[in-house]
Amino acid sequence: MMHQLCCPCHFGLERTLRFEISKIGGLDIHAEDGRVLFRGDDTVLAKANLCLSTAERVLIQLGQFKAYNFEELFQGVRALPLEQWIDKEAAFPVKGHALDSKLHSVPNCQSIIKKAAVERLKTVYHTTWFSETGAIHPIQFTIRKNIATIYLDTTGVGLHKRGYRKNANAAPIKETLAAGIVDLARVHSDSIVYDPFCGSGTILIEAALKALRMAPGMNRRFLAEQWLQIDESIWRNARAEMVSNIRHDATFEAYGYDIDPEAIAITEENCRRAGVKPRIHLEKREIANFVAIKGAVTICNPPYGERMLDIQHAQSLYRIMGEVFPADKMHPCYIISPDRDFELHFGKKSNKKRKLYNGMIPCQLYSYFQDN
């Protein structure tokens, strides 16, 4: 059975995610702002949760309709074949958001959608009460410009929660964003990667996972694994395929530096949890002592704060980085920063800039990969 699937992602990573989806067998792939739509069967659904490094979650799109008022919202949801997924004992909580629509009260929309789902399922299962003690089938909704879209969330805890980052420093970069930057930096199985501001090690670990072809979701579980509608063998076979795809022969190595010894300890533990510790070498080192190696790729998320002293400190770091980073064809580097004047402080104009969001903070990925 084919499903209409949707994967939200960071703004700016849609093309990267689209390519990832094509590699797992997704069909009719269509990228929009902040999400990618595609079609796939149960196997593709399982692989999407296991393999996609830049997706935030995997949703099944159940339907889409106009909803200018609560009656249209109720009737639209009640017309959906919810019983194809939600069994009699299943739990089906509702959450979502509304934007630029006549229906703007999220709690009221949640209540109407829940009521419509109950009415639909009461008719199908010939009951007046649902225990909701079974597997969780979260209903998600978006109402945008008066168009309601209803989804089922197959993932649960967001895909950025790989399971390796039990410890983090004060402002870690999100795993899915780090994976997208690693992809844009063209990290391969034979790459050497440096992160001179390694923090909790997220960029280093995501680079290792990509280089070794280790599925980022391989060591965690997903809500849809408990659903009666997807055979357990689908997940078992997909995981077995992911294990067979790991590149044990890859020559990838990575080096992480940080001025904070606690950050080094956190990174070391996270690398161990991720199963990539032998590939990553860590050292306490100041940025002024950074030495670029020919052919290595530098990827980093330098410190940046909202307070004036933090901003001034960050800008002084940028100047030092400009002195120690050759930032050319033989020493490519990819730096994410929210500072619009980064290039001025760094002292070099980037070859390419890409707008990304680190949480709610608009940033630029400054890419240096040829002689300036």
Side-chain angles (χ1 to χ4, degrees):
M1 179 180 177
M2 297 296 288
H3 317 299
Q4 180 64 49
L5 302 172
C6 173
C7 287
C9 66
H10 283 272
F11 286 99
L13 295 182
E14 295 88 353
R15 289 181 62 185
T16 300
L17 177 55
R18 177 174 182 159
F19 180 67
E20 282 196 281
I21 291 170
S22 71
K23 292 195 294 184
I24 62 167
L27 302 173
D28 302 327
I29 306 171
H30 174 65
E32 299 180 354
D33 286 345
R35 65 176 188 168
V36 179
L37 305 171
F38 60 104
R39 293 172 60 246
D41 59 11
D42 289 349
T43 297
V44 170
L45 185 154
K47 287 183 178 181
N49 277 293
L50 289 163
C51 301
L52 299 180
S53 66
T54 55
E56 296 300 313
R57 59 184 62 249
V58 182
L59 307 172
I60 300 171
Q61 184 171 313
L62 299 177
Q64 191 174 73
F65 50 86
K66 293 180 181 179
Y68 288 89
N69 53 56
F70 289 129
E71 180 64 19
E72 289 181 336
L73 180 62
F74 179 88
Q75 296 299 341
V77 172
R78 192 167 72 167
L80 298 175
L82 300 176
E83 65 278 2
Q84 290 182 2
W85 291 102
I86 302 175
D87 55 272
K88 190 176 180 180
E89 284 73 37
F92 48 102
V94 178
K95 64 179 181 180
H97 63 270
L99 181 68
D100 298 331
S101 300
K102 291 185 177 295
L103 297 178
H104 52 80
S105 170
V106 171
N108 287 343
C109 290
Q110 286 177 296
S111 178
I112 293 296
I113 290 171
K114 182 71 172 187
K115 182 178 178 180
V118 168
E119 290 301 313
R120 169 79 188 199
L121 296 173
K122 280 169 60 175
T123 302
V124 172
Y125 295 123
H126 307 291
T127 185
T128 59
W129 183 77
F130 294 93
S131 66
E132 298 198 48
T133 56
I136 302 172
H137 295 61
I139 297 175
Q140 285 202 10
F141 69 90
T142 63
I143 305 176
R144 185 172 299 175
K145 295 184 178 179
N146 303 304
I147 300 295
T149 309
I150 310 298
Y151 305 98
L152 276 182
D153 177 16
T154 74
T155 302
V157 176
L159 289 177
H160 70 282
K161 295 287 188 179
R162 319 291 205 211
Y164 63 73
R165 201 165 74 179
K166 302 297 182 182
N167 299 302
N169 59 351
I173 190 171
K174 204 170 182 181
E175 294 91 330
T176 43
L177 177 58
I181 294 172
V182 165
D183 191 82
L184 293 169
R186 300 181 181 180
V187 171
H188 300 295
S189 62
D190 60 349
S191 293
I192 299 173
V193 171
Y194 280 83
D195 182 356
F197 302 97
C198 68
S200 56
T202 307
I203 290 174
L204 296 170
I205 293 170
E206 293 298 324
L209 294 179
K210 178 178 174 60
L212 302 176
R213 295 185 187 173
M214 296 175 65
M218 193 165 56
N219 295 320
R220 55 159 292 183
R221 297 290 172 174
F222 309 95
L223 284 184
E225 291 188 68
Q226 303 300 317
W227 294 2
L228 300 175
Q229 298 77 11
I230 302 178
D231 193 276
E232 186 272 337
S233 64
I234 296 289
W235 297 93
R236 184 175 62 252
N237 294 339
R239 277 196 165 85
E241 182 181 336
M242 298 309 104
V243 171
S244 68
N245 286 340
I246 296 175
R247 287 286 305 273
H248 296 286
D249 62 337
T251 59
F252 172 86
E253 298 282 344
Y255 297 82
Y257 306 132
D258 204 286
I259 193 174
D260 182 3
E262 184 179 353
I264 296 297
I266 290 172
T267 296
E268 185 172 19
E269 175 62 15
N270 291 342
C271 289
R272 185 189 65 78
R273 290 180 181 275
V276 297
K277 187 173 179 292
R279 303 291 185 139
I280 297 176
H281 315 284
L282 303 170
E283 181 183 328
K284 179 180 178 296
R285 183 183 294 189
E286 295 186 14
I287 186 62
N289 296 327
F290 178 80
V291 178
I293 303 299
K294 183 177 179 180
V297 182
T298 299
I299 309 172
C300 61
N301 175 32
Y304 190 86
E306 297 295 329
R307 296 177 301 175
M308 181 57 68
L309 286 177
D310 292 336
I311 293 173
Q312 291 174 344
H313 175 65
Q315 291 172 347
S316 70
L317 286 178
Y318 296 159
R319 286 190 283 272
I320 297 171
M321 289 163 59
E323 294 170 1
V324 297
F325 289 8
D328 56 26
K329 185 176 181 179
M330 300 309 299
H331 308 85
C333 61
Y334 298 80
I335 307 162
I336 185 170
S337 171
D339 193 333
R340 295 181 180 181
D341 294 325
F342 169 82
E343 291 167 303
L344 177 64
H345 301 294
F346 188 66
K348 302 170 187 177
K349 185 173 176 58
S350 62
N351 298 113
K352 188 173 184 179
K353 289 187 291 187
R354 180 185 292 263
K355 188 174 183 180
L356 297 172
Y357 281 82
N358 190 358
M360 298 301 293
I361 303 174
C363 299
Q364 294 281 351
L365 178 65
Y366 297 91
S367 302
Y368 297 83
F369 46 77
Q370 62 189 36
D371 294 333
N372 290 284

